[in-house]
Amino acid sequence: MEYLLRNAGQIISREQIIEKIWGYDTNTEYNNVEVYISFLRKKLLYLKSEVSIQTIRKLGYMLKKT
């Protein structure tokens, strides 16, 4: 979440998220990113936050004010 907040309004690719969170030498797959994004979205909904995580097809994710 911190990485998305620091880059709010910018498209963050799955590769960037994997490298930033898990590091370069990891066996983490794209599915892991999707699972954690789903967790974050649920938490934002629960908190009734004014921001949401948007999926930008084929590019990545972006934190956006709703």
Side-chain angles (χ1 to χ4, degrees):
M1 187 66 193
E2 180 182 347
Y3 189 55
L4 289 169
L5 284 169
R6 290 184 185 267
N7 296 286
Q10 298 178 8
I11 299 172
I12 308 296
S13 71
R14 291 179 183 150
E15 291 86 6
Q16 288 174 305
I17 294 172
I18 289 173
E19 288 175 9
K20 181 69 175 178
I21 305 302
W22 289 282
Y24 294 101
D25 298 327
T26 185
N27 292 331
T28 303
E29 297 181 15
Y30 293 133
N31 187 40
N32 292 44
V33 175
E34 292 172 10
V35 168
Y36 281 99
I37 293 293
S38 174
F39 289 154
L40 290 174
R41 284 179 173 150
K42 288 177 185 176
K43 287 181 182 183
L44 290 171
L45 283 174
Y46 176 78
L47 296 171
K48 299 178 182 169
S49 177
E50 293 183 11
V51 296
S52 63
I53 301 171
Q54 301 293 313
T55 300
I56 311 299
R57 276 208 134 125
K58 308 262 183 178
L59 296 177
Y61 301 97
M62 179 172 61
L63 194 66
K64 187 176 178 184
K65 188 172 181 176
T66 53

